[in-house]
Amino acid sequence: MSPIAMGGPALFIGTDTDYVALVRPELDPDQPGVRAAAAEAGVTPEEFAGPGDTWMVMVETGGEGDGFELPGVRDVEPAGFAERLRAELAAASGPFTVDGGAVLSLDARPAGADAYAFTARVTPPDDPDTTWTAETGPVPTAGLLADLDAFLGSLA
């Protein structure tokens, strides 16, 4: 379950206060802020909202977070990451790592009979010398598998 609503495809890995997320937010043309920005730009709210095709990575740890856009990322890349994570979770009996490319690496370790805890390492593309780390508490495997299926279904 996602800690916040994004309006587009979203995959949250972690807990309400400690997570990493891949999201493709969509603007709601009916929101007053979107309407005002559209009017200022001289376009309709629907044109301003656009297709919602920019992916973002968000990280939160201990209630504080940050994030960045991933310009040029296509749906196939987050889908590939989710598929690799799903395959590892379905087959794993111990620790594993899922590589999400230059910006994301996810280390998983068992955290009880039916859960995993994660260490996410996130590197902003415009600052390759900086790495943010988020440590999650136990995440139930069955729930994360269901979230992964829903995420992959939203991209189909």
Side-chain angles (χ1 to χ4, degrees), residues 42-104:
V43 297
T44 67
E46 292 75 19
E47 288 174 299
F48 186 82
D53 60 359
T54 301
W55 283 94
M56 295 177 62
V57 173
M58 298 169 50
V59 178
E60 186 164 322
T61 186
E64 293 189 24
D66 209 340
F68 51 85
E69 290 184 355
L70 297 169
V73 168
R74 301 168 321 211
D75 288 357
V76 68
E77 294 166 88
F81 176 80
E83 288 167 350
R84 289 189 302 278
L85 176 56
R86 190 184 194 307
E88 288 285 354
L89 279 171
S93 60
F96 63 87
T97 298
V98 178
D99 181 12
V103 299
L104 176 61

Side-chain angles (χ1 to χ4, degrees), residues 65-147:
D66 209 340
F68 51 85
E69 290 184 355
L70 297 169
V73 168
R74 301 168 321 211
D75 288 357
V76 68
E77 294 166 88
F81 176 80
E83 288 167 350
R84 289 189 302 278
L85 176 56
R86 190 184 194 307
E88 288 285 354
L89 279 171
S93 60
F96 63 87
T97 298
V98 178
D99 181 12
V103 299
L104 176 61
S105 176
L106 190 66
D107 295 326
R109 61 197 174 283
D114 297 317
Y116 272 84
F118 297 93
T119 301
R121 289 179 186 76
V122 178
T123 304
D126 61 348
D127 189 3
D129 295 328
T130 299
T131 299
W132 303 328
T133 302
E135 297 277 344
T136 75
V139 177
T141 303
L144 183 51
L145 286 169
D147 288 348

